[in-house]
Amino acid sequence: MSSEASEDGEVRVFSDYTRDFEEDADVVVVGSGPSGSVVAYELAKAGHKVVLIEEGPPFTPQEFRADGNISMARTMREGGLRSTTGTFMPILQAICLGGGSLINSAMCVRPPAFIFDEWSTRYELDHTTRADLDPHYDAVSEFLGIAPTPEDVQGPRNLLFRQGCDALGIASEPVDRNVRGCRGSGECFSGCRARAKQSMDISYIPEAMKFGARVLTSLQVQGVLGEGRRVGGVEGRVVEPFSGRTSHAFRVRARWVVLAAGCMATPVLLQKSGNLANTSGQVGRNLQFHPGSAVAGVFPESIDPIFGGTQSYQSLAFLEEGFKLETMWSAPAALAVRMPGVGTELVQRFGELPRTAIWDAIASTHRSLGTVKARFRSLNPVIRWTLHPEDIKVMLRSIHVLAQIFFAAGAEKVLPGVGGLADEMHSLEEAEVLRDYAIRSGDLVTASSHVFCTTRMHGDPAQGVVDEEGRCHGYDNLYIADTGIFPRCPSVNPMLTVMALAHRQAQSLVERV
Amino acid sequence: MWGIVLIALAVLAVRRVWLGYPATGAEFAVLAPREEAFLQAAAEALFPPHERLPLSGGQADLPGYADRYLAVLPRRQRTLIRALFALFEHATLLWPGKGRGGFKRFSALLPEQRLGVLRDWQSSSLALRRLCLTALKAILILGYVGHSESLAALELAPWKIESPRVEADFLYPPIGGRRDQISRAGKPLGGAPTAPPLMPGLDQEAP
Ligand SMILES: Cc1cc2nc3c(=O)[nH]c(=O)nc-3n(C[C@H](O)[C@H](O)[C@H](O)COP(=O)(O)OP(=O)(O)OC[C@H]3O[C@@H](n4cnc5c(N)ncnc54)[C@H](O)[C@@H]3O)c2cc1C
């Protein structure tokens, strides 16, 4: 391999790679999502030579696409069509500079203390209470300007949710988000053309580059170089954006390796690297999601559904019951996909789109577990997961509560989206059927973009893959930073928590490196 | 004897799957004429003319839309979606349309038969069949409702936004391009951030 090393503070893109190459660094970070970006920034700021590797390309506003299908095909893994087997569920995961932050809705939520208390007691984690993490949450929040969504960018879609919750005495609140100067264009999912969302590609990553971090995009890491208790770097190939065709080989030698490739990719990388860091047998196991169910409500008047923060109001009132409620923006055409029927009946319903809002619930399905396994000659994993019957009941309950909130907010009808039940419900009484419906998993239309636990943190090396600082048990210099290290699903949106954990990890790494 | 039966079946299968599709002259990156015919037939059945929307499914060039979508999908997913189209086109052998000729391929059915077939998929007791219909509808609805004319008629067109340039925009070239293609025009947003105002409009690329 020849050396065609990048320069400090440089970003490399697909067209920059003309041959095989090698690099050296103090720390190599694999994956530029929220976790990897925070680690890269903190270490670069501390003066270390950092190489941040990302498989996807950087996107600028000209590259964003309004069309849902095409946008997902460009920014997400497996063209946006990745799904689980067992219980079928689409799962959304990014492949781009900034990872999930480029196409997520910027919700930044700190889980309440009881979540961490469960983590501590069940997984022998002595230093991972909410109080332990608060300074790290604060640091990330300050960096990204995280603040509650102001009233003037809420729009009717979000405010009606508050109105419905108020009428029922359910606590709700504006969502904290990592945005600066958002005007409520609601386009978070396809990339923020207004450049208000502080996704990693425009926040942490450029700042890391100012401190000398080298950012190598369009590189697919295919293996971790391991030598006993130590690892020596990573290797892989250049990959063409979108087509996924691989070409030149590369190797980055580093004293420290941080895997932040996401909860699905990191276990696959370990499995493909000779089953690295798996003395516990837990790599790729314990997979959990927050499956989401969306309910649509049609109001008597137009509610200007495209205006307002993407997901700007929420209720944490049901967290202990196992679900969280949120508002949701959807491109009109994607919203239309919720409409039941075919032919004239369907087209007629499209006319209701200006009066339709969509709200969703994410469920903490602790009982529903799965696995992630490497596929032969591919880094796309086989994902097996089964929705537990008790968790299905929790999801149905969340749908019922959303229907109640819609009616309390003045909706004239609700589309619960539950197979085997009426497409539309016109009153609270009709919605009562949701209370005791004998639901099966095939009746639910669900999807998830929150994934956890495949390299879980555990105080006991026999039961987990990493310790509280994210270091792989049994290794001196191999770390994992992504949401795979969560010991259990956090019940709220995970981005802020994975960044807080990454911030803590980076601080301990700074001392060691 | 069995040989003759097998050959006859093979001829019938080839005829059903490949032959008899009219050439429309449309040029596609991915779609074959048989897929174009199926998509056109499904679009006409799903989205008939209606006073609320200016375009019917038949007029919205949904085969063209599906072709653009398929072209950006990875190979495995592209194959799966094409298999979905083929499934609908030929599942009439298992779940035929009502009346005479109900076993013909979907695109050769009468309009009311096609609608009936789609209704059967929708109300099927098999969750997998309902899921397949949802997948097909999702692709076509995104193309149909997302069509600029449909959005304009519903007054739901995307905002007109002139993206401000942030520092990072001076770092990243267009995807697939070289760094010397980064536009140097404009200044990076400095100081207090101000996103641009939202204006009703439609300035994103046509689908
Ligand atoms: C549509 C959507 C909406 C969401 N909304 C919210 C929200 O509002 N709030 C919230 O808290 N969370 C939200 N999430 C979830 C949140 O974005 C993720 O939990 C978060 O991005 C996880 O960060 P991560 O660093 O663990 O992994 P990721 O963000 O997945 O980043 C991993 C990165 O590693 C790269 N990578 C993977 N494999 C390789 C390899 N072999 N070589 C090189 N690079 C590789 C990937 O391309 C990716 O960029 C949303 C997610 C999605 C998809």
Side-chain angles (χ1 to χ4, degrees), chain A residues 10-11 13 15-16 58-61 63-67 69 73 78-79 81 88 97 180-181 183-185 193-195 201-202 210 241-242 306-307 332-334 336-337 339-344 346-347 350-351 353-354 375 442-443, chain B residues 45-48 50 52-53 65 69 72-74 76-77 81 115 119 122 130-131 137-139 141-142 144-146 151 154 156-157 159 161 163-164 166-169 171-175 177-179 193 195-198 203-205:
Chain A
E10 186 185 55
V11 60
V13 295
S15 61
D16 291 325
F59 280 73
T60 48
E63 310 285 353
F64 297 152
R65 298 289 178 267
D67 177 89
N69 277 328
E78 302 187 46
L81 297 173
F88 171 82
L97 190 67
R180 289 200 159 102
R183 305 243 186 174
S185 61
R193 285 189 295 152
R195 288 314 218 182
D201 55 322
I202 67 168
K210 286 184 190 159
F242 311 132
I306 60 167
F307 173 66
V337 172
M339 303 284 176
V342 293
T344 307
L346 175 64
V347 181
F350 294 155
L353 286 171
R375 221 184 267 270
D443 294 330
Chain B
L46 277 171
F47 317 120
H50 190 278
R52 190 69 178 83
L53 289 168
Y65 170 79
Y69 174 46
V72 289
L73 279 180
R76 184 161 172 271
Q77 282 65 30
I81 300 274
L115 194 61
R119 286 213 172 100
Q122 181 179 243
R130 297 198 304 271
L131 194 72
K137 270 175 70 179
I139 296 167
I141 288 178
L142 279 158
Y144 177 61
V145 178
L151 286 176
L154 293 166
L156 292 172
W159 306 106
I161 296 177
S163 300
V166 297
E167 272 183 30
D169 293 325
L171 298 172
Y172 312 136
I175 296 176
R178 294 181 320 271
R179 273 182 289 166
L198 303 179
D203 66 344
Q204 279 197 294
E205 81 296 345

Side-chain angles (χ1 to χ4, degrees), chain A residues 30-37 53-56 76-77 92-101 103-109 189 219-222 250 260-263 265-266 269 311 379 448-452 481-484 492-498:
Chain A
V30 180
S32 68
S35 61
S37 298
I53 300 182
E54 169 55 50
E55 184 174 345
M76 290 190 188
R77 296 217 163 245
L92 307 175
Q93 285 176 295
I95 175 166
C96 49
L97 190 67
S101 70
I103 39 107
N104 76 17
S105 38
M107 301 175 88
C108 294
V109 191
F189 292 134
L219 294 188
Q220 183 186 66
V221 172
Q222 298 177 330
F250 75 91
C263 174
T266 291
L269 277 178
Q311 296 197 272
L379 289 180
S448 186
S449 52
H450 300 173
V451 289
F452 313 103
D482 53 56
T483 55
V492 301
N493 317 65
M495 176 174 67
L496 186 59
T497 299
V498 85

Side-chain angles (χ1 to χ4, degrees), chain A residues 22-35:
Chain A
E22 287 188 355
E23 302 250 341
D24 289 304
D26 293 331
V27 187
V28 61
V29 180
V30 180
S32 68
S35 61

Side-chain angles (χ1 to χ4, degrees), chain A residues 322-470:
Chain A
F323 59 92
K324 169 180 182 273
L325 305 177
E326 330 169 313
T327 54
M328 169 78 101
W329 184 92
S330 172
L335 181 55
V337 172
R338 282 304 308 270
M339 303 284 176
V342 293
T344 307
E345 174 199 9
L346 175 64
V347 181
Q348 203 152 0
R349 283 200 169 101
F350 294 155
E352 293 170 351
L353 286 171
R355 296 189 282 128
T356 306
I358 194 155
W359 300 335
D360 75 290
I362 56 170
S364 322
T365 51
H366 300 300
R367 289 161 285 222
S368 308
L369 300 177
T371 56
V372 171
K373 283 214 178 90
R375 221 184 267 270
F376 180 60
R377 295 183 63 182
S378 163
L379 289 180
N380 288 326
V382 178
I383 307 160
R384 281 202 72 78
W385 176 78
T386 311
L387 188 53
H388 190 282
E390 290 303 312
D391 287 334
I392 301 177
K393 286 187 198 155
V394 173
M395 293 173 72
L396 184 66
R397 159 107 176 103
S398 71
I399 292 172
H400 188 205
V401 174
L402 283 173
Q404 290 170 322
I405 300 175
F406 266 119
F407 285 121
E412 61 181 29
K413 63 180 174 183
V414 163
L415 286 65
V418 177
L421 291 181
D423 290 334
E424 295 180 346
M425 298 179 175
H426 296 86
S427 66
L428 267 181
E429 292 69 40
E430 278 182 38
E432 272 304 290
V433 63
L434 291 163
R435 197 181 287 280
D436 330 290
Y437 181 58
I439 190 165
R440 296 158 305 167
S441 67
D443 294 330
L444 282 175
V445 180
T446 181
S448 186
S449 52
H450 300 173
V451 289
F452 313 103
C453 308
T454 53
T455 52
R456 76 177 178 195
M457 197 188 325
H458 201 298
D460 176 2
Q463 296 188 64
V465 181
V466 299
D467 65 17
E468 278 178 278
E469 286 171 355

